[in-house]
């Protein structure tokens, strides 16, 4: 086995707010190989974006990484001086943000922004930069890319802006891309094209990808492995097919069951009762217990780790893992 | 079942708003955009009493524009919309409360400075469906029906989660006692488990109140789940319409086929998945292609398609398709 590209161990990122400490990420561990596509799914507010921000060193106060380790290509990123983190970011690790507005500068043309992103890390002529930018825009499905370099962000539709943000992330050929809900705002037809490109990219250039999404269908079609987050923790992980076919954790089961495709048209969907707990006041023990059909008295204690072949879950009463 | 909603040849153009300077410049031959956006063109359909018609299509194809015309919020440039034979608008103004709307972003559609109890009761009071003194009990009843604690009536929108705000928006629309509900992307911003709760609420209330619905979404599996019939839109026109089961099982228009092929499906096997994107981009509504608007992207296009626009023609099984080769 090759050396992992990324090893995250016991990562904890907390927000110190007036109302208390929000444990947005609370003990997250996983490993990522070069060329691997990892899906990160879970309830809104479960800490997916904050996990991504932690990896690229963009957690803003009142948030802070309060524990754990992030090793990228052997180098420890937690506690890395800001200068060195900035040198990595955009070049070896890139992020596509949930909101493309966060990436694009409204007062610069797309061509200028892409050239600047290239020239920040490398000595590239303006002409070579423009060519490189046009190639990337074409890959994400912007027609007539060379001509669009002179356009400003507002001259693109929302879906096109999202694709430009993805092209920017690809620009420097990073080893790791963190993509936060990159296709939720896109049409299915454009989405298929982006997924196709992302898959090809990982296979051809060995770029590893963390794909944050609550679209289980997209994740199942794209990722090799999946992490399921709930209330700041990874409650289940494993190969995507195995996890979605027969989840160990009742929360994963609940997520799958609530998809429209899982119920006959027109019938009530099976929904997970209740709402996600406040991160300020997590119940002792398993945070999913108040909503879990399998919960009993045992669940007031912290859930044990269940290992099943390549899969893991945090649960007192895991479901049967079918073959 | 009789038709309750009748849309005939609905058309909506948006003319560019030109300043005096632009107009003078244009008159002297400067390149100023003077062409109108043809958002919706010649769309006719009917919705039967108690039926949900799903409306899907790519971003920018005119779904919201059509939805707003059906809801009586946006006057059509041509054509008209009737409920039980009565026009929904007169002199550019909505004349009925029988039709109400739920939008995608409940935060944008709820007044941030108004307590949600007042938000729910203001319409019914203004239209004399209830008296002011009845409002507190009325609000409590509606909050309970959409699964919220009646005690939240005094809160402001920002104090709610996305799913809760969508419940408030549904309560506000239904409190007007409509017969017809237009839902424009009501679950697009919600995650899977909240989406399931809202869709269930929609199904329950639709049944309990006998609602007729136009349900707009870009999520094909959501539309499949809630719709009896579906209409597929492309560049301002309906290209296929028919019973949902039929259209999803055997799509006839090449665009519908492409759309359904490009949806990622939940894959439980380990097999490698290839995606089938539709080639090309949605063309500009400023200058729609000649003939069939889909021809530049269509694998089956011929000279006929480039020259002549196909009419929406009936096919077996209550389906209508606008394609020369369907
Ligand atoms: N600046 C902040 N101050 C306080 N709490 C914060 C802050 N930013 C994030 N949080 C908390 O961290 C938790 C995790 O947020 P995060 O954005 O990672 O969720 P997510 O899983 O990405 O959700 P979504 O699917 O809605 O994007 C949230 O519950 C949020 O309340
Ligand atoms: N007020 C307006 N002024 C000018 N053009 C408009 C206006 N409203 C809509 N349009 C244009 O009409 C076309 C159809 O827009 P519409 O919002 O109906 O699309 P849609 O199918 O709802 O897209 P989406 O899925 O992105 O919501 C687009 O080209 C849009 O830019
Ligand atoms: Mg997020
Ligand atoms: Mg719309």
């Amino acid at each position: 086995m090759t050396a992992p590209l990324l090893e995250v161990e016991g990562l904890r990122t907390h927000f110190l707010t007036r109302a208390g400490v929000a444990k947005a990420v609370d003990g997250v561990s996983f490993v990522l190989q070069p060329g691997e596509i990892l899906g990160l799914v879970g309830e809104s507010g479960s800490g997916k974006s904050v996990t991504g921000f932690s990896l690229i060193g963009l957690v803003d106060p009142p948030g802070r990484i309060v524990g754990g380790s992030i090793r990228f290509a052997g180098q420890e990123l937690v506690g890395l001086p800001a200068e060195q983190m900035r040198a990595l970011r955009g070049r070896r690790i890139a992020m596509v943000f949930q909101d493309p507005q966060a990436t694009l500068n409204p007062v610069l043309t797309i061509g200028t922004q892409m050239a600047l992103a290239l020239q920040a890390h490398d000595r590239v002529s303006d002409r070579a930069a423009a060519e490189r930018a046009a190639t990337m825009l074409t890959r994400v499905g912007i027609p007539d890319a060379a001509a669009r370099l002179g356009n400003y962000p507002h001259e693109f539709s929302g879906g096109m802006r999202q694709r430009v943000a993805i092209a920017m992330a690809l620009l420097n050929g990073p080893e790791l891309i963190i993509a936060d809900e990159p296709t939720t705002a896109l049409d299915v037809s454009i989405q298929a094209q982006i997924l196709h490109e992302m898959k090809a990219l990982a296979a051809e250039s060995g770029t590893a990808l963390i794909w944050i999404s609550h679209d289980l269908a997209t994740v199942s079609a794209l990722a090799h492995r999946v992490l399921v987050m709930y209330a700041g923790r990874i409650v289940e992980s494993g190969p995507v097919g195995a996890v979605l076919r027969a989840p160990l954790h009742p929360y994963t089961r609940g997520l799958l069951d609530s998809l429209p495709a899982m119920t006959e048209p027109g019938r009530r969907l099976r929904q997970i009762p209740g709402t996600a707990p406040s991160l300020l006041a997590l119940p002792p023990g398993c945070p999913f217990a108040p909503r879990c059909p399998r919960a009993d008295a045992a669940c007031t204690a912290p859930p044990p780790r269940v290992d099943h072949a390549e899969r893991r879950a945090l649960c007192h009463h895991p479901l049967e893992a079918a073959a | 079942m009789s038709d309750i909603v009748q849309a005939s040849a609905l058309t909506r153009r948006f003319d560019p708003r030109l300043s005096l300077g632009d107009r003078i410049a244009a008159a002297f031959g400067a390149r100023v955009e003077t062409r109108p956006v043809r958002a919706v063109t010649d769309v006719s359909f009917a919705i039967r009493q108690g039926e949900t018609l799903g409306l899907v299509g790519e971003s920018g194809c005119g779904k919201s524009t059509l939805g707003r015309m059906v809801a009586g919020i946006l006057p059509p440039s041509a054509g008209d919309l009737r409920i039980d034979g009565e026009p929904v608008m007169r002199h550019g103004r909505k004349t009925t409360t029988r039709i109400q709307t739920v939008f995608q972003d409940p935060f944008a559609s709820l007044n941030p400075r108004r307590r949600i109890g007042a938000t729910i009761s203001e319409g019914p009071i203004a239209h004399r469906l209830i008296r002011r003194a009845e409002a507190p009990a009325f609000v409590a009843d509606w909050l309970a029906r959409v699964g919220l604690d009646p005690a939240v009536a005094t809160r402001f929108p920002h104090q709610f989660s996305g799913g809760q705000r969508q419940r408030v928006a549904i309560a506000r629309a239904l409190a007007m006692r409509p017969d017809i509900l237009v839902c424009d992307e009501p679950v697009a911003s919600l995650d899977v488990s909240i989406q399931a709760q809202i869709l269930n609420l929609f199904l329950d209330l639709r049944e309990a109140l006998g609602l007729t619905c136009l349900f707009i979404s870009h999520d094909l599996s959501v539309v499949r789940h809630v719709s009896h019939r579906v209409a597929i839109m492309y560049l301002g026109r309906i290209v296929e319409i028919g019973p949902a089961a039929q259209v999803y099982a055997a799509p006839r228009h090449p665009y519908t086929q492409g759309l359904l092929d490009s949806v990622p499906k939940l894959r439980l096997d380990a097999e490698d998945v290839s995606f089938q994107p539709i080639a090309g981009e949605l063309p500009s509504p400023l200058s729609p292609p000649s003939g069939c608007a889909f021809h530049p992207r269509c694998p089956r296009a011929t000279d006929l398609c480039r020259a002549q626009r196909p009419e929406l023609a009936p096919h077996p099984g209550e389906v209508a398709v606008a394609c020369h080769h369907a």
Side-chain angles (χ1 to χ4, degrees):
Chain A
M1 206 162 203
T2 50
L5 178 68
L6 183 71
E7 293 166 278
V8 178
E9 189 57 52
L11 179 67
R12 291 161 68 226
T13 305
H14 293 178
F15 288 86
L16 306 144
T17 68
R18 249 181 302 165
V21 179
K23 299 177 178 172
V25 175
D26 202 33
V28 160
S29 307
F30 64 92
V31 171
L32 187 64
Q33 304 293 336
E36 186 175 27
I37 305 180
L38 184 67
L40 180 53
V41 303
E43 198 104 338
S44 184
S46 60
K48 304 184 295 295
S49 295
V50 172
T51 300
F53 292 143
S54 303
L55 297 180
I56 56 161
L58 283 183
V59 179
D60 289 327
R64 206 160 66 82
I65 297 181
V66 296
S69 137
I70 302 169
R71 293 184 76 79
F72 174 74
Q75 185 181 19
E76 177 60 55
L77 300 189
V78 174
L80 196 70
E83 188 85 347
Q84 289 179 42
M85 195 68 221
R86 216 172 299 131
L88 277 178
R89 196 161 52 223
R91 179 177 183 84
R92 298 183 66 193
I93 307 179
M95 184 153 177
V96 181
F97 295 94
Q98 202 160 357
D99 172 13
Q101 241 69 10
T103 314
L104 301 176
N105 185 333
V107 302
L108 297 178
T109 66
I110 296 299
T112 305
Q113 294 189 52
M114 294 184 84
L116 286 175
L118 274 167
Q119 289 161 344
H121 299 286
D122 266 323
R123 294 177 58 177
V124 188
S125 73
D126 287 353
R127 213 169 123 202
E131 264 170 37
R132 188 84 197 273
T135 309
M136 278 307 163
L137 290 176
T138 306
R139 280 197 81 166
V140 296
I142 305 277
D144 215 0
R148 303 299 304 252
L149 289 176
N151 287 146
Y152 290 89
H154 75 264
E155 295 175 281
F156 291 86
S157 75
M160 282 175 123
R161 275 200 292 271
Q162 185 61 287
R163 281 180 274 167
V164 171
I166 292 171
M168 296 264 271
L170 300 178
L171 211 50
N172 283 301
E175 291 147 82
L176 170 63
I177 297 178
I178 302 157
D180 194 357
E181 305 272 3
T183 60
T184 30
L186 298 182
D187 281 316
V188 283
S189 57
I190 303 298
Q191 182 178 316
Q193 186 178 354
I194 300 273
L195 295 180
H196 174 79
E197 283 299 331
M198 287 291 180
K199 249 190 142 149
L201 181 84
E204 286 160 20
S205 60
T207 301
L209 194 60
I210 297 178
W211 190 265
I212 302 175
S213 175
H214 46 235
D215 182 351
L216 293 173
T218 304
V219 168
S220 77
L222 184 72
H224 304 113
R225 285 192 311 132
V226 63
L227 308 177
V228 183
M229 267 189 104
Y230 191 80
R233 292 170 219 182
I234 292 174
V235 296
E236 174 153 17
S237 64
V240 71
V243 169
L244 298 185
R245 205 163 34 238
L248 297 172
H249 201 285
Y251 172 64
T252 316
R253 178 81 264 162
L255 266 189
L256 277 165
D257 284 345
S258 49
L259 291 177
M262 290 299 189
T263 305
E264 217 177 293
R267 295 284 173 81
R268 293 190 97 244
L269 300 165
R270 276 179 284 175
Q271 65 187 50
I272 303 175
T275 52
S278 159
L279 296 177
L280 294 171
L282 289 175
C286 174
F288 187 59
R291 306 172 70 186
C292 183
R294 298 169 77 83
D296 63 16
C299 302
T300 52
R305 197 176 103 183
V306 187
D307 279 79
H308 193 279
E310 291 174 78
R311 304 161 54 187
R312 280 181 193 171
L314 287 178
C315 185
H316 286 282
H317 305 296
L319 297 145
E320 289 290 322
Chain B
M1 276 193 298
S2 60
D3 294 343
I4 175 166
V5 176
Q6 302 105 8
S8 354
L10 283 176
T11 296
R12 176 68 206 206
R13 288 180 299 270
F14 292 102
D15 292 311
R17 250 182 256 138
L18 296 182
S19 65
L20 185 62
D22 285 341
R23 272 179 234 206
I24 295 169
F28 284 95
R31 265 190 55 211
V32 173
E33 188 55 75
T34 53
R35 292 171 297 176
V37 175
R38 296 155 180 271
V40 173
T41 310
D42 198 15
V43 166
S44 301
F45 60 86
I47 313 179
R48 290 167 207 146
Q49 170 70 50
E51 180 181 68
T52 295
L53 176 69
L55 184 60
V56 291
E58 270 163 291
S59 177
C61 72
K63 303 181 296 293
S64 296
T65 304
L66 181 58
R68 285 160 67 209
M69 287 193 283
V70 171
I73 303 168
L74 182 74
S77 310
D80 77 346
L81 189 99
R82 287 166 185 268
I83 296 178
D84 286 331
E86 292 289 316
V88 166
M89 290 186 114
R90 262 197 201 100
H91 312 300
R93 291 194 50 143
K94 188 174 170 189
T95 54
T96 176
T97 59
R98 292 184 64 192
I99 188 154
Q100 296 294 328
T101 322
V102 176
F103 293 102
Q104 163 172 2
D105 185 356
F107 203 44
S109 69
L110 296 176
N111 184 337
R113 274 186 278 281
R114 183 160 289 151
R115 294 179 198 279
I116 61 117
T119 290
I120 292 171
S121 60
E122 69 186 337
I125 292 171
H127 288 273
R128 298 175 199 285
L129 300 177
I130 57 166
R131 276 174 288 129
R132 196 168 289 278
E134 295 166 338
F138 178 82
V139 166
D141 180 42
W142 272 107
L143 287 173
R145 291 182 86 155
V146 296
L148 292 171
D149 182 347
V152 303
T154 55
R155 293 206 199 153
F156 292 96
H158 74 266
Q159 293 170 293
F160 290 89
S161 70
Q164 289 173 325
R165 285 200 288 263
Q166 201 56 286
R167 289 176 192 269
V168 172
I170 291 172
R172 178 185 58 175
L174 295 182
M176 291 296 290
R177 288 276 171 198
D179 300 310
I180 302 149
L181 196 61
V182 175
C183 299
D184 191 352
E185 304 274 9
V187 294
S189 54
L190 306 174
D191 80 16
V192 187
S193 57
I194 313 289
Q195 172 180 300
Q197 295 175 359
I198 297 296
L199 289 176
N200 280 343
L201 177 66
F202 171 78
L203 292 174
D204 292 347
L205 290 171
R206 174 178 87 180
E207 164 105 26
L209 305 173
L211 290 171
T212 301
C213 303
L214 178 66
F215 194 101
I216 300 171
S217 174
H218 68 269
D219 185 327
L220 289 151
S221 67
V222 168
V223 168
R224 172 74 189 94
H225 193 76
V226 302
S227 307
H228 303 104
R229 286 195 309 142
V230 289
I232 318 292
M233 253 183 120
Y234 189 78
L235 205 66
R237 294 176 190 268
I238 289 179
V239 296
E240 180 158 1
I241 182 168
Q246 199 132 334
V247 172
Y248 276 69
R252 281 173 172 272
H253 198 286
Y255 176 65
T256 316
Q257 290 165 1
L259 207 57
L260 288 170
D261 280 346
S262 55
V263 190
K265 292 166 192 73
L266 193 64
R267 304 289 303 223
L268 302 181
D269 43 30
E271 246 173 79
D272 209 29
V273 186
S274 65
F275 299 98
Q276 300 287 336
I278 305 174
E281 291 264 337
L282 188 68
S284 164
L286 288 170
S287 52
S290 65
C292 170
F294 188 57
H295 86 250
R297 302 169 75 183
C298 184
R300 282 192 250 157
T302 58
D303 285 341
L304 176 62
C305 308
R306 286 179 272 274
Q308 196 185 323
R309 188 169 48 72
E311 294 294 332
L312 194 61
H315 281 256
E318 287 186 69
V319 179
V321 188
C323 176
H324 291 301
H325 305 294

